[in-house]
Amino acid sequence: MLLGSETEEHVRMHDLVRDVAIRIARTEYGFEVKAGLGLEKWQWTGKSFEGCTTISLMGNKLAELPEGLVCPRLKVLLLELDDGLNVPQRFFEGMKEIEVLSLKGGCLSLQSLECKDLIWLRKLQRLKILGLRWCLSIEELPDEIRELQELRLLDVTGCGRLRRIPVNLIGRLRKLEELLIGKESFEEWDVDGCDNTGGKNASLTELNSLSQLAVLSLRIPKVECIPRDFVFPRDCTSFKVRANYRYPTSTRLKLDGTSLNAKTFEQLFLHKLEIVKVRDCGDVFTLFPAKLRQVLKNLKEVIVDRCKSLEEVFELGEADEGSSEEKEMSLLSSLTKLQLSWLPELKCIWKGPTRNVSLQSLVHLNVWYLNKLTFIFTPSLAQSLPQLESLYISECGELKHIIIEEDGEREIIPESPGFPKLKTLRIYGCSKLEYVFPVSMSPSLPNLEQMTIDRADNLKQIFYSGEGDALTTDGIIKFPRLSKLSLCSRSNYSFFGPTNLAAQLPSLQILKIDGHKELGNLSAQLQGLTNLETLRLESLPDMRYLWKGLVLSKLTTLKVVKCKRLTHVFTCSMIVSLVQLKVLKILSCEKLEQIIAKDDDENDQILLGDHLQSLCFPNLCEIKIRECNKLKSLFPVAMASGLPNLQILRVTKASQLLEVFGQDDQASPINVEKEMVLPNLKELSLEQLSSIVYFSFGWCDYFLFPRLEKFKVHLCPKLTTKFATTPDDSMSAQSEVSEVAEDSSINREWTRDKGWRLVS
C-alpha cells in the first residue's frame, strides 16, 4: 500500500489507495481533505465543517478565508495560503477543541491570534502541535504561547522575519518533544537574556528545561551565542543546526554553516548519535576525538562537507588493556555510509591503531576533493569490509594507495583483503595513484559490476603483485559480473596486473579505453568479450587496427576517436560477426585509409561482387565520419545493398575523400546493381569535403533515398553528383555527370517539408 521515496522521512501512497483512504476518513471519521489541488478560492459555506475533526488544505494557495469557522469538534487544521493573504482576526475563534494547528504561508499578525486578548489561545489546553511554517509576516512569537502546556511540537521553520522569542517562552513548554526553528528562521539567541535591541530574547539555556525534548532543529550562527556552561540536552536524539526543513525521525546531528568549536562538538557528541552531517564548520580539526570513542559504536552515517580546517575524522586512540571497552563491540561496526568531500586539510580518515575498528556494515564510501589524503584503508580495515558495495574516489591529488601496505601496527595480517559485495568502483582525477588493489585480492571481487578509472595518469597497475602475492595457477583473473569497464588515462600501465595475467570478462557490455599507450598489452589481457555491446576507443596513439581475433557478435555501438595511427577499422573476417552493429562513429583518425581492409591472408584473393555484398551491416542505423583526411571512400559500392536500416549518414572534414561509395578494383560489374536503394535513410550530410567528386563511383551511378527527410551539402566544390527529387518525392543521386553539378559549390539544404534552400 505504501511506496518508497527518496528520503527516509517520507513514504508515498498510490493514488488509488489514497482516494479510498480519504473516502473512508471522510465518511467515518469526519475528515475533510482537499490537499494538493492548487485551490485559490474558498469553496465552502460557514457550516460546511461543523462535523469535521480534521481539515487538510495543504498544497493549495488560498487567497481568501472566511472571517471565522464554526468547528466545535475540530482537532487538526492544516492550511497553506497565498503569501499575501491576511488571516482574519476571528478566524480561529470557533475552534475550541483544536490540538494541531499548521499554517504555511499567509500573513499572520498577532491580532489574528489575539482575539479578545488571546483568551481563546489560552483556552486551547489540548493543542499539541503548532506549526507556523514559512509565515513571513511573523516578527515575534506571542507571549501567550507559553500557556500551551500540552504542546509537543512547535515549528516555525522558514519564518524569515522572526527576530524575537520572548524570554522563557520555550522554557515553559515542559512537554515539548520537537522544536523546529531551523531553516531561514530565528537565530538571534541571547546569552545574557537581553538582545541588542534592548528587548528580552530567548537563550539556549532554556533548552535545558525541556526534559522530553527529542528533536531539535535550529541555527547557531556564532559560538558566542552558546553560554559558557551550556550543555545541549542529553536526552535529545536528533539535532539539526541550520537544518533542512524535513521532520527528522532518527538520532542525528546536522551542523551547517556554523563556527562551533571543538568544545561544542564534544557537547553535541555526548549522545547516542546514529547520523552525523557536518557542513561548512571551519574551526574543527578532529571531528571525533579519542575521548569520544564510544560514540563511534552507534554511528550509521557520517557526511562531512567543506570544513576547511578538518585534519582527521576519527581519532581512535588506545583502549586500556583488559578494560570493558576493549572487550565490547568494535568501533564503527554499525557505520553504513561514509561521505567526505571538499576537505582541503584532511590528512587521514582514521588516526591511530585500527585493529579495534570494524567496517563490517559499511556499504557506501565516497571521498572527493581531499587534497592531502594519501591512503584510504589500512590492511586491517581492508579485511573488515564484507558489505561494501560502492567505492567512489575523486580528485584526491595526493592519494597514492587505496590500501596502504603498512599500517604501523605490529599485528600480523593473516588474510588478503577482499570486498566480496563490491559492485561499483569509480576513481577520478587521482594523479598520483600508483596501484589500486593487490593481485591477491582479485578473486574476492565476484560481484564487481562497474569499474571506472579516469585521469589517473601515474597509475602503474590496477592489480599489482606485492610481496608474497601469488598469481592464479592459470594466470587468469575472473570477473564474472563486470558489465561496464572504463579506463581513461595517459599512463603506460599494463591494466589488470602483470603482463602474464589475463582478465576473463564474460559479462562485459560496455568498454571504454582512452589514452592507453600500450594497447597491445591491454588487448592481450582482455578475454571473453562475447557479450560486448558498446566499444569506445579514444586517443590510442599506437593502435593501427582493432586487436585480432576479436569476435563481437553482440556489438551495437562502436566509436573510434583520435587514434592517429589507425589505418583501418575492420577486416573482412570481422564483418561477419557484426550483424548487431547499429552505430559507427570514426572521428579524427588522421591516417585512416579504409574502414574495411582485407585480412592478412587474403592478399592474393580477389574480392568479387558477391563477396562484397555478403559483407553487410543489416542493423546499422547511424554512420558518422569526421576529420579522417586519408580516407578515399567509406565502403565499396556493392556493400550499399547491405545497409537496409541505415537512417543517418554524416561525413565531415575528410579532405581526400573522393566518394562515399567507391569501386573495388577487383569487383565484377555482373553482380553489382545499376540502381542502389537506401530504403530507410532519413538524414544525409556532406560537409567540408574539398575533394569529393561523386556520391558513388563505379558500376552503380544511381542511388535512391525514398524516406530521406533532410539533406545538406556544404563546401563540396568538386562534387559532380546531381541530387534531385523524383516524381514520388524521393531523393535521388545520379553520379554519371562529367561536369561539376550546378550549385554544388553553394551551401544547400533540402527537407521534405520545405524543399531546397540556401544556408550560410
Side-chain angles (χ1 to χ4, degrees), residues 236-289:
C236 193
T237 59
S238 178
F239 283 98
K240 284 193 176 185
V241 180
R242 191 185 171 188
N244 58 32
Y245 52 85
R246 296 174 300 202
Y247 286 96
T249 57
S250 61
T251 54
R252 66 177 63 192
L253 165 71
K254 180 171 180 178
L255 302 172
D256 190 347
T258 75
S259 58
L260 301 180
N261 57 22
K263 174 181 177 293
T264 307
F265 270 82
E266 292 179 16
Q267 293 176 3
L268 292 170
F269 287 142
L270 294 176
H271 306 275
K272 294 182 178 180
L273 291 171
E274 294 180 358
I275 298 176
V276 175
K277 299 181 181 181
V278 181
R279 177 186 170 91
D280 287 328
C281 295
D283 299 330
V284 179
F285 299 95
T286 301
L287 189 61
F288 295 92

Short mmCIF file of all heavy atoms in Angstrom, two decimals, residues 236-289:
data_model
loop_
_atom_site.label_atom_id
_atom_site.label_comp_id
_atom_site.label_asym_id
_atom_site.label_seq_id
_atom_site.Cartn_x
_atom_site.Cartn_y
_atom_site.Cartn_z
N CYS A 236 18.18 14.34 24.05
CA CYS A 236 17.74 14.65 22.69
C CYS A 236 18.37 13.66 21.71
O CYS A 236 19.57 13.45 21.72
CB CYS A 236 18.13 16.08 22.34
SG CYS A 236 17.34 16.69 20.85
N THR A 237 17.53 13.05 20.88
CA THR A 237 18.03 12.01 19.97
C THR A 237 18.32 12.55 18.57
O THR A 237 18.87 11.84 17.76
CB THR A 237 17.01 10.87 19.86
OG1 THR A 237 15.77 11.40 19.39
CG2 THR A 237 16.79 10.21 21.21
N SER A 238 17.91 13.79 18.30
CA SER A 238 18.11 14.30 16.95
C SER A 238 18.42 15.78 17.00
O SER A 238 17.68 16.56 17.59
CB SER A 238 16.87 14.05 16.10
OG SER A 238 17.05 14.59 14.81
N PHE A 239 19.54 16.17 16.39
CA PHE A 239 19.93 17.56 16.32
C PHE A 239 20.00 18.00 14.87
O PHE A 239 20.47 17.25 14.02
CB PHE A 239 21.32 17.79 16.94
CG PHE A 239 21.34 17.79 18.42
CD1 PHE A 239 21.72 16.65 19.12
CD2 PHE A 239 21.02 18.93 19.13
CE1 PHE A 239 21.76 16.65 20.48
CE2 PHE A 239 21.07 18.93 20.50
CZ PHE A 239 21.44 17.79 21.19
N LYS A 240 19.58 19.21 14.60
CA LYS A 240 19.91 19.85 13.33
C LYS A 240 20.22 21.30 13.63
O LYS A 240 19.40 22.01 14.23
CB LYS A 240 18.75 19.78 12.33
CG LYS A 240 18.58 18.41 11.69
CD LYS A 240 17.64 18.50 10.51
CE LYS A 240 17.56 17.15 9.81
NZ LYS A 240 16.74 17.24 8.59
N VAL A 241 21.39 21.73 13.24
CA VAL A 241 21.76 23.12 13.41
C VAL A 241 21.80 23.74 12.02
O VAL A 241 22.56 23.29 11.15
CB VAL A 241 23.12 23.25 14.12
CG1 VAL A 241 23.48 24.70 14.29
CG2 VAL A 241 23.06 22.55 15.47
N ARG A 242 20.96 24.74 11.82
CA ARG A 242 20.65 25.26 10.48
C ARG A 242 20.28 24.10 9.56
O ARG A 242 20.91 23.82 8.55
CB ARG A 242 21.83 26.03 9.91
CG ARG A 242 21.46 26.80 8.64
CD ARG A 242 22.66 27.46 8.03
NE ARG A 242 22.35 28.00 6.73
CZ ARG A 242 23.25 28.49 5.91
NH1 ARG A 242 24.51 28.53 6.25
NH2 ARG A 242 22.90 28.96 4.74
N ALA A 243 19.24 23.40 9.94
CA ALA A 243 18.87 22.16 9.28
C ALA A 243 18.00 22.42 8.06
O ALA A 243 17.48 23.51 7.86
CB ALA A 243 18.10 21.26 10.24
N ASN A 244 17.81 21.37 7.28
CA ASN A 244 16.79 21.48 6.26
C ASN A 244 15.44 21.32 6.95
O ASN A 244 15.37 21.06 8.13
CB ASN A 244 16.99 20.42 5.16
CG ASN A 244 16.98 19.02 5.71
OD1 ASN A 244 16.30 18.72 6.68
ND2 ASN A 244 17.73 18.13 5.09
N TYR A 245 14.36 21.47 6.19
CA TYR A 245 13.08 21.60 6.84
C TYR A 245 12.28 20.31 6.90
O TYR A 245 11.09 20.32 7.16
CB TYR A 245 12.24 22.66 6.13
CG TYR A 245 12.10 22.49 4.66
CD1 TYR A 245 11.12 21.67 4.12
CD2 TYR A 245 12.96 23.15 3.79
CE1 TYR A 245 11.01 21.52 2.76
CE2 TYR A 245 12.85 23.00 2.43
CZ TYR A 245 11.86 22.19 1.92
OH TYR A 245 11.75 22.03 0.56
N ARG A 246 12.90 19.18 6.71
CA ARG A 246 12.19 17.91 6.84
C ARG A 246 12.14 17.51 8.30
O ARG A 246 13.06 17.75 9.06
CB ARG A 246 12.88 16.82 6.03
CG ARG A 246 12.87 17.10 4.55
CD ARG A 246 13.66 16.10 3.79
NE ARG A 246 15.04 16.09 4.21
CZ ARG A 246 16.03 15.63 3.48
NH1 ARG A 246 15.79 15.17 2.29
NH2 ARG A 246 17.26 15.64 3.92
N TYR A 247 11.07 16.86 8.68
CA TYR A 247 10.98 16.39 10.05
C TYR A 247 11.93 15.22 10.23
O TYR A 247 11.80 14.19 9.58
CB TYR A 247 9.55 15.92 10.37
CG TYR A 247 8.59 17.06 10.55
CD1 TYR A 247 7.79 17.49 9.50
CD2 TYR A 247 8.50 17.72 11.76
CE1 TYR A 247 6.90 18.54 9.65
CE2 TYR A 247 7.61 18.77 11.93
CZ TYR A 247 6.82 19.17 10.88
OH TYR A 247 5.95 20.20 11.04
N PRO A 248 12.91 15.32 11.11
CA PRO A 248 13.85 14.22 11.32
C PRO A 248 13.21 13.14 12.19
O PRO A 248 12.39 13.42 13.04
CB PRO A 248 15.02 14.89 12.05
CG PRO A 248 14.41 16.07 12.73
CD PRO A 248 13.24 16.51 11.90
N THR A 249 13.59 11.91 11.93
CA THR A 249 12.98 10.81 12.66
C THR A 249 13.98 9.89 13.31
O THR A 249 13.59 8.91 13.93
CB THR A 249 12.13 9.96 11.68
OG1 THR A 249 12.98 9.50 10.61
CG2 THR A 249 11.01 10.80 11.09
N SER A 250 15.27 10.14 13.17
CA SER A 250 16.25 9.25 13.77
C SER A 250 17.25 10.05 14.58
O SER A 250 17.25 11.27 14.57
CB SER A 250 16.96 8.44 12.68
OG SER A 250 17.63 9.31 11.82
N THR A 251 18.10 9.35 15.29
CA THR A 251 19.09 10.02 16.13
C THR A 251 20.16 10.61 15.23
O THR A 251 21.04 9.90 14.75
CB THR A 251 19.71 9.01 17.10
OG1 THR A 251 20.20 7.90 16.36
CG2 THR A 251 18.67 8.52 18.08
N ARG A 252 20.11 11.91 15.02
CA ARG A 252 21.00 12.53 14.06
C ARG A 252 21.43 13.91 14.51
O ARG A 252 20.80 14.55 15.33
CB ARG A 252 20.34 12.63 12.69
CG ARG A 252 19.15 13.56 12.65
CD ARG A 252 18.60 13.67 11.24
NE ARG A 252 18.12 12.38 10.77
CZ ARG A 252 17.80 12.14 9.52
NH1 ARG A 252 17.95 13.07 8.60
NH2 ARG A 252 17.36 10.95 9.16
N LEU A 253 22.55 14.32 13.95
CA LEU A 253 23.08 15.66 14.17
C LEU A 253 23.44 16.24 12.82
O LEU A 253 24.10 15.58 12.02
CB LEU A 253 24.32 15.61 15.05
CG LEU A 253 25.19 16.87 15.08
CD1 LEU A 253 24.47 17.98 15.83
CD2 LEU A 253 26.53 16.60 15.72
N LYS A 254 22.98 17.45 12.56
CA LYS A 254 23.38 18.12 11.33
C LYS A 254 23.85 19.52 11.68
O LYS A 254 23.12 20.32 12.24
CB LYS A 254 22.23 18.19 10.33
CG LYS A 254 22.66 18.89 9.03
CD LYS A 254 21.60 18.78 7.96
CE LYS A 254 22.07 19.48 6.69
NZ LYS A 254 21.08 19.37 5.60
N LEU A 255 25.10 19.82 11.34
CA LEU A 255 25.69 21.13 11.58
C LEU A 255 25.99 21.75 10.23
O LEU A 255 26.63 21.14 9.39
CB LEU A 255 26.98 21.00 12.40
CG LEU A 255 26.83 20.31 13.76
CD1 LEU A 255 28.19 20.06 14.37
CD2 LEU A 255 25.99 21.15 14.69
N ASP A 256 25.53 22.99 10.06
CA ASP A 256 25.66 23.61 8.74
C ASP A 256 25.99 25.08 8.90
O ASP A 256 25.22 25.84 9.47
CB ASP A 256 24.34 23.44 7.98
CG ASP A 256 24.46 23.84 6.53
OD1 ASP A 256 25.48 24.45 6.17
OD2 ASP A 256 23.55 23.53 5.76
N GLY A 257 27.16 25.48 8.41
CA GLY A 257 27.50 26.88 8.36
C GLY A 257 27.70 27.52 9.71
O GLY A 257 27.41 28.70 9.88
N THR A 258 28.20 26.79 10.68
CA THR A 258 28.43 27.37 11.99
C THR A 258 29.92 27.52 12.23
O THR A 258 30.74 26.95 11.53
CB THR A 258 27.84 26.49 13.10
OG1 THR A 258 28.68 25.36 13.28
CG2 THR A 258 26.45 26.03 12.75
N SER A 259 30.26 28.28 13.28
CA SER A 259 31.65 28.40 13.68
C SER A 259 31.87 27.73 15.03
O SER A 259 32.63 28.18 15.85
CB SER A 259 32.04 29.89 13.77
OG SER A 259 31.21 30.56 14.70
N LEU A 260 31.13 26.63 15.25
CA LEU A 260 31.23 25.93 16.53
C LEU A 260 32.63 25.38 16.73
O LEU A 260 33.24 24.85 15.81
CB LEU A 260 30.21 24.79 16.58
CG LEU A 260 28.74 25.23 16.42
CD1 LEU A 260 27.85 24.01 16.48
CD2 LEU A 260 28.35 26.23 17.48
N ASN A 261 33.13 25.48 17.95
CA ASN A 261 34.48 24.99 18.23
C ASN A 261 34.46 23.56 18.71
O ASN A 261 33.41 22.93 18.84
CB ASN A 261 35.17 25.90 19.25
CG ASN A 261 34.38 26.00 20.54
OD1 ASN A 261 33.57 25.13 20.85
ND2 ASN A 261 34.61 27.07 21.29
N ALA A 262 35.64 23.03 19.02
CA ALA A 262 35.76 21.62 19.42
C ALA A 262 34.98 21.33 20.69
O ALA A 262 34.40 20.24 20.84
CB ALA A 262 37.23 21.27 19.60
N LYS A 263 34.94 22.27 21.63
CA LYS A 263 34.22 22.05 22.90
C LYS A 263 32.75 21.81 22.63
O LYS A 263 32.13 20.90 23.19
CB LYS A 263 34.40 23.26 23.81
CG LYS A 263 33.57 23.20 25.09
CD LYS A 263 33.80 24.45 25.92
CE LYS A 263 32.92 24.44 27.17
NZ LYS A 263 31.50 24.56 26.80
N THR A 264 32.18 22.62 21.72
CA THR A 264 30.77 22.45 21.41
C THR A 264 30.52 21.12 20.72
O THR A 264 29.52 20.45 20.99
CB THR A 264 30.31 23.60 20.50
OG1 THR A 264 30.66 24.84 21.12
CG2 THR A 264 28.81 23.55 20.28
N PHE A 265 31.42 20.70 19.86
CA PHE A 265 31.29 19.40 19.22
C PHE A 265 31.24 18.30 20.27
O PHE A 265 30.45 17.37 20.19
CB PHE A 265 32.45 19.15 18.25
CG PHE A 265 32.17 19.63 16.87
CD1 PHE A 265 32.35 20.96 16.53
CD2 PHE A 265 31.73 18.76 15.89
CE1 PHE A 265 32.09 21.41 15.26
CE2 PHE A 265 31.47 19.20 14.62
CZ PHE A 265 31.65 20.53 14.30
N GLU A 266 32.09 18.39 21.26
CA GLU A 266 32.12 17.37 22.30
C GLU A 266 30.81 17.34 23.06
O GLU A 266 30.31 16.28 23.43
CB GLU A 266 33.29 17.62 23.24
CG GLU A 266 34.65 17.42 22.59
CD GLU A 266 35.80 17.71 23.54
OE1 GLU A 266 35.55 17.78 24.76
OE2 GLU A 266 36.93 17.88 23.07
N GLN A 267 30.21 18.51 23.30
CA GLN A 267 28.92 18.54 23.97
C GLN A 267 27.87 17.82 23.13
O GLN A 267 27.06 17.04 23.64
CB GLN A 267 28.49 19.99 24.20
CG GLN A 267 29.34 20.75 25.19
CD GLN A 267 28.91 22.20 25.29
OE1 GLN A 267 27.94 22.60 24.66
NE2 GLN A 267 29.62 22.97 26.08
N LEU A 268 27.89 18.11 21.84
CA LEU A 268 26.89 17.51 20.96
C LEU A 268 27.04 16.00 20.86
O LEU A 268 26.07 15.27 20.71
CB LEU A 268 27.00 18.13 19.57
CG LEU A 268 26.60 19.61 19.46
CD1 LEU A 268 26.98 20.14 18.11
CD2 LEU A 268 25.11 19.78 19.70
N PHE A 269 28.28 15.53 20.93
CA PHE A 269 28.52 14.11 20.73
C PHE A 269 28.33 13.28 22.00
O PHE A 269 28.61 12.10 22.01
CB PHE A 269 29.93 13.88 20.18
CG PHE A 269 30.06 14.29 18.74
CD1 PHE A 269 31.20 14.90 18.27
CD2 PHE A 269 29.02 14.07 17.87
CE1 PHE A 269 31.31 15.27 16.94
CE2 PHE A 269 29.12 14.44 16.54
CZ PHE A 269 30.26 15.04 16.08
N LEU A 270 27.84 13.88 23.06
CA LEU A 270 27.54 13.12 24.26
C LEU A 270 26.15 12.49 24.14
O LEU A 270 25.35 12.50 25.05
CB LEU A 270 27.61 14.02 25.51
CG LEU A 270 28.99 14.57 25.83
CD1 LEU A 270 28.92 15.51 27.01
CD2 LEU A 270 29.96 13.43 26.14
N HIS A 271 25.86 11.96 23.00
CA HIS A 271 24.56 11.37 22.73
C HIS A 271 24.77 10.11 21.90
O HIS A 271 25.81 9.90 21.32
CB HIS A 271 23.67 12.36 21.96
CG HIS A 271 23.54 13.68 22.64
ND1 HIS A 271 22.61 13.93 23.60
CD2 HIS A 271 24.26 14.82 22.51
CE1 HIS A 271 22.74 15.17 24.03
NE2 HIS A 271 23.74 15.73 23.38
N LYS A 272 23.74 9.31 21.85
CA LYS A 272 23.83 8.09 21.05
C LYS A 272 23.47 8.41 19.61
O LYS A 272 22.44 7.99 19.08
CB LYS A 272 22.91 7.02 21.62
CG LYS A 272 23.32 6.54 23.01
CD LYS A 272 22.41 5.45 23.51
CE LYS A 272 22.86 4.95 24.88
NZ LYS A 272 21.99 3.87 25.39
N LEU A 273 24.36 9.13 18.98
CA LEU A 273 24.09 9.58 17.62
C LEU A 273 24.24 8.45 16.62
O LEU A 273 25.13 7.62 16.73
CB LEU A 273 25.02 10.73 17.26
CG LEU A 273 24.77 12.04 17.99
CD1 LEU A 273 25.89 13.02 17.71
CD2 LEU A 273 23.44 12.63 17.58
N GLU A 274 23.36 8.45 15.62
CA GLU A 274 23.45 7.48 14.54
C GLU A 274 23.82 8.14 13.22
O GLU A 274 24.51 7.54 12.40
CB GLU A 274 22.11 6.75 14.39
CG GLU A 274 21.77 5.88 15.60
CD GLU A 274 20.44 5.17 15.42
OE1 GLU A 274 19.77 5.40 14.39
OE2 GLU A 274 20.06 4.41 16.32
N ILE A 275 23.34 9.36 13.00
CA ILE A 275 23.59 10.06 11.74
C ILE A 275 24.20 11.42 12.05
O ILE A 275 23.63 12.20 12.82
CB ILE A 275 22.30 10.23 10.93
CG1 ILE A 275 21.74 8.85 10.56
CG2 ILE A 275 22.56 11.04 9.66
CD1 ILE A 275 20.42 8.91 9.84
N VAL A 276 25.36 11.72 11.46
CA VAL A 276 26.04 12.99 11.67
C VAL A 276 26.32 13.60 10.31
O VAL A 276 26.95 12.98 9.45
CB VAL A 276 27.36 12.80 12.45
CG1 VAL A 276 28.11 14.12 12.54
CG2 VAL A 276 27.08 12.27 13.85
N LYS A 277 25.84 14.83 10.11
CA LYS A 277 26.09 15.58 8.88
C LYS A 277 26.68 16.93 9.26
O LYS A 277 26.06 17.69 10.00
CB LYS A 277 24.80 15.76 8.07
CG LYS A 277 24.15 14.45 7.65
CD LYS A 277 22.88 14.69 6.84
CE LYS A 277 22.24 13.37 6.44
NZ LYS A 277 21.01 13.58 5.63
N VAL A 278 27.88 17.20 8.76
CA VAL A 278 28.59 18.43 9.11
C VAL A 278 28.98 19.14 7.83
O VAL A 278 29.57 18.53 6.94
CB VAL A 278 29.83 18.12 9.97
CG1 VAL A 278 30.54 19.41 10.35
CG2 VAL A 278 29.45 17.34 11.21
N ARG A 279 28.68 20.43 7.77
CA ARG A 279 28.98 21.20 6.56
C ARG A 279 29.41 22.61 6.95
O ARG A 279 28.81 23.24 7.82
CB ARG A 279 27.75 21.27 5.65
CG ARG A 279 27.94 22.11 4.40
CD ARG A 279 26.62 22.22 3.64
NE ARG A 279 26.70 23.20 2.57
CZ ARG A 279 27.06 22.94 1.32
NH1 ARG A 279 27.37 21.71 0.99
NH2 ARG A 279 27.09 23.88 0.41
N ASP A 280 30.47 23.10 6.31
CA ASP A 280 30.92 24.48 6.49
C ASP A 280 31.18 24.83 7.95
O ASP A 280 30.84 25.93 8.40
CB ASP A 280 29.88 25.46 5.92
CG ASP A 280 29.88 25.45 4.40
OD1 ASP A 280 30.95 25.24 3.82
OD2 ASP A 280 28.81 25.66 3.81
N CYS A 281 31.77 23.92 8.70
CA CYS A 281 32.15 24.21 10.09
C CYS A 281 33.67 24.39 10.10
O CYS A 281 34.42 23.41 10.01
CB CYS A 281 31.71 23.10 11.02
SG CYS A 281 29.90 22.96 11.10
N GLY A 282 34.12 25.63 10.23
CA GLY A 282 35.51 25.93 9.93
C GLY A 282 36.50 25.77 11.04
O GLY A 282 37.70 25.80 10.81
N ASP A 283 36.07 25.63 12.30
CA ASP A 283 37.01 25.66 13.41
C ASP A 283 37.26 24.31 14.05
O ASP A 283 37.75 24.23 15.18
CB ASP A 283 36.50 26.64 14.49
CG ASP A 283 36.37 28.05 13.95
OD1 ASP A 283 37.15 28.39 13.03
OD2 ASP A 283 35.51 28.79 14.42
N VAL A 284 36.93 23.23 13.37
CA VAL A 284 37.07 21.90 13.93
C VAL A 284 38.21 21.18 13.21
O VAL A 284 38.23 21.11 11.98
CB VAL A 284 35.76 21.10 13.79
CG1 VAL A 284 35.93 19.70 14.35
CG2 VAL A 284 34.64 21.84 14.51
N PHE A 285 39.17 20.64 13.98
CA PHE A 285 40.33 19.95 13.40
C PHE A 285 40.17 18.43 13.46
O PHE A 285 40.63 17.72 12.57
CB PHE A 285 41.60 20.37 14.13
CG PHE A 285 41.88 21.84 14.04
CD1 PHE A 285 41.46 22.72 15.03
CD2 PHE A 285 42.52 22.37 12.93
CE1 PHE A 285 41.70 24.07 14.93
CE2 PHE A 285 42.76 23.73 12.81
CZ PHE A 285 42.35 24.58 13.82
N THR A 286 39.54 17.93 14.52
CA THR A 286 39.26 16.50 14.66
C THR A 286 37.77 16.35 14.92
O THR A 286 37.26 16.88 15.91
CB THR A 286 40.05 15.87 15.82
OG1 THR A 286 41.44 16.07 15.57
CG2 THR A 286 39.75 14.39 15.92
N LEU A 287 37.07 15.64 14.04
CA LEU A 287 35.63 15.55 14.20
C LEU A 287 35.25 14.67 15.39
O LEU A 287 34.43 15.04 16.23
CB LEU A 287 35.00 15.00 12.92
CG LEU A 287 33.48 15.05 12.86
CD1 LEU A 287 32.98 16.47 12.97
CD2 LEU A 287 32.98 14.42 11.57
N PHE A 288 35.84 13.48 15.47
CA PHE A 288 35.57 12.57 16.57
C PHE A 288 36.87 12.35 17.35
O PHE A 288 37.66 11.46 17.00
CB PHE A 288 35.06 11.22 16.04
CG PHE A 288 33.73 11.31 15.35
CD1 PHE A 288 33.66 11.50 13.98
CD2 PHE A 288 32.55 11.20 16.06
CE1 PHE A 288 32.45 11.58 13.33
CE2 PHE A 288 31.32 11.28 15.42
CZ PHE A 288 31.27 11.48 14.05
N PRO A 289 37.12 13.12 18.41
CA PRO A 289 38.35 12.94 19.19
C PRO A 289 38.33 11.62 19.95
O PRO A 289 37.28 11.00 20.14
CB PRO A 289 38.34 14.13 20.14
CG PRO A 289 36.92 14.56 20.22
CD PRO A 289 36.30 14.25 18.90
#
